[in-house]
Amino acid sequence: MPYDLVVIGTGPGGYVCAIRAAQLGLKTAVVEKEKTFGGTCLNIGCIPSKALLHASELYEEAGHTFGKMGIRVGAPALDLAAMMKFKDEGVDGNVKGVAFLLKKNKIDSFQGVGRIAAPGKIEVRSADGKIETAETKNIVIATGSDVARLKGIEIDEQRIVSSTGALALAKVPEKLLVVGAGVIGLELGSVWRRLGAQVEVVEFLDRILPGMDLDVARQFQRLLQRQGLTFRLSSKVTAIDAAGEKLKASVEPAAGGTAESIEADVALIAIGRVPYTQGLGLDAVGVKFDNKGRVAVDAHFATNVPGIYAIGDVIAGPMLAHKAEDEGVAAAEIIAGRAGHVNYDAIPNVIYTFPEVASVGRSEEELKAAGIAYNTGRFPFTANGRAKVNLTTDGFVKILADAKTDRVLGVHIVGADAGTMIAEAAVAIELGASSEDIARTSHAHPTLTEAIREAAMAVEKWSIHM
Ligand SMILES: Cc1cc2nc3c(=O)[nH]c(=O)nc-3n(C[C@H](O)[C@H](O)[C@H](O)COP(=O)(O)OP(=O)(O)OC[C@H]3O[C@@H](n4cnc5c(N)ncnc54)[C@H](O)[C@@H]3O)c2cc1C
């Protein structure tokens, strides 16, 4: 009997889609080419990076802030191998969790590279060359993304690394050159700076974090510089010579001009990610791509070929695990005949550095470009009681609300725990709340979340603690 659904790829998009489909009574299977489930996010992305960010943050705190709170532990010593083991165990626990959930939901799994031989037919080639075939009424492509490469620069994952290599360096580099000031470059740059590397970030644009609210990005850059990261904006790395003991990177002004040479022990190429569709056979079945090489889908995640859907990093939209998950749920519901939907205006975006940066909804630049009149409420953590006692006063909350209706359009936070706090703002935007709704909602004292409330009060100029 054919499956109702076969999902290719078990990242956060694929495995969540399969579970939701099984919950709705669809006979479901997944195909995964790697040995473990969980995709980029669990194996070489969100989870290992957050493990290293957490451990390195505590390492830095032990060295810098414990003493201020009366905790004398002496200078902390780094055992990098043990830190990597801690990270690997965290990954292991998470990927095993996915295996358990797939089994619990009676989802079959095929291990090997999946190829769509025809609509309704998937061939899976395992590592030993054996081919199995699965017949299915529906297919969801959830094959994710891969590292974007720089022409002429070969990633060896030892000295010239992608995020994958940067999550597993055997020793702390004296100098780390980060190419690209996006989320991944800044998170991993922060990890290695905390562990002792000198970190220089080269960015093509004249700002860090493209797409993020500019005011937030500027403040965040200042904070990172204070921590010791250095930035070369409006610059591009054109070549890296790996012949000598040190790498020699050629760096030119973005607009062209004289090249300079920067020495480094390790170079992290973090210029973004590209959709991954290798080996899927999409051309042969006639699945169309958009102009950026992503699988083209309609509002129901359907490709142009009936019965073939796509979700996650392989389609348009922010390359985020929870966006992939949300699409996985919606696609499964649509295939099961329900009304699945994703609200792209309410997807939070978090950078897990210290302080964290989190946002949901529109930036000021986007509102200006769209000609939408808005009011701004802003509140700094220096005026928040809990932040003061915790010694985490860096950053602020900014709320952007529609000038006519007061509806919350965007919330931006730089500060400790911003990534956890942004959930409140996401709920507010999802439910169409006004800034006054947030301002009049009781927030526990003393918490950092009071800064969100105060920023909401500031929209109508009545914040109490400023
Ligand atoms: C270093 C790093 C840190 C990140 N941190 C965060 C974060 O903190 N928060 C966040 O939201 N996002 C983060 N991301 C992004 C996040 O990992 C992705 O957005 C997310 O994994 C996308 O999920 P997906 O299901 O679309 O694809 P993926 O997770 O990429 O999964 C795709 C799966 O498909 C499999 N596959 C591909 N082709 C085939 C085939 N033909 N046959 C069988 N299997 C196949 C792959 O092996 C893989 O397991 C991070 C990414 C990186 C690299």
Side-chain angles (χ1 to χ4, degrees), residues 9 12-13 32-33 39-41 45-46 50 114 142-144 313 319-322:
E32 175 54 61
K33 68 179 172 57
T40 304
C41 178
C46 329
K50 265 75 264 181
T143 48
D313 278 11
M319 286 182 162
L320 292 170
H322 43 286

Side-chain angles (χ1 to χ4, degrees), residues 134-219:
E135 307 276 336
T136 176
K137 291 181 195 152
N138 298 285
I139 295 170
V140 169
I141 300 165
T143 48
S145 59
D146 189 17
V147 172
R149 283 148 216 278
L150 269 174
K151 221 170 139 203
I153 298 179
E154 201 185 320
I155 292 175
D156 61 16
E157 296 298 9
Q158 302 293 323
R159 295 204 296 161
I160 303 180
V161 297
S162 71
S163 52
T164 307
L167 288 166
L169 296 179
K171 78 179 218 243
V172 179
E174 217 170 284
K175 167 87 186 263
L176 172 68
L177 178 69
V178 177
V179 186
V183 179
I184 293 175
L186 297 181
E187 286 189 352
L188 293 174
S190 290
V191 165
W192 291 107
R193 194 230 13 106
R194 292 168 186 166
L195 300 182
Q198 188 203 331
V199 178
E200 180 162 2
V201 184
V202 177
E203 166 59 48
F204 185 82
L205 299 176
D206 60 357
R207 54 163 299 175
I208 68 167
L209 294 174
M212 185 68 85
D213 189 276
L214 188 57
D215 174 24
V216 167
R218 288 213 173 111
Q219 164 93 350

Side-chain angles (χ1 to χ4, degrees), residues 8-15 31-34 36-50 110 112-115 124 142-147 163-164 167 183-184 187-188 273 276-280 311-314 318-325 327 348 350 352:
I8 308 178
T10 63
Y15 87 77
V31 184
E32 175 54 61
K33 68 179 172 57
E34 299 296 330
T36 52
F37 299 122
T40 304
C41 178
L42 275 67
N43 292 281
I44 49 167
C46 329
I47 294 297
S49 60
K50 265 75 264 181
F110 293 86
V113 177
R115 185 178 74 88
V124 184
T143 48
S145 59
D146 189 17
V147 172
S163 52
T164 307
L167 288 166
V183 179
I184 293 175
E187 286 189 352
L188 293 174
R273 296 184 62 83
Y276 184 85
T277 52
Q278 223 171 296
L280 268 178
I311 57 168
D313 278 11
V314 81
M319 286 182 162
L320 292 170
H322 43 286
K323 175 260 192 190
E325 290 187 37
E327 291 177 343
V350 178
Y352 297 84

Side-chain angles (χ1 to χ4, degrees), residues 107-124:
I107 294 163
D108 289 343
S109 60
F110 293 86
Q111 210 201 20
V113 177
R115 185 178 74 88
I116 305 177
K121 190 171 167 196
I122 294 175
E123 278 181 6
V124 184

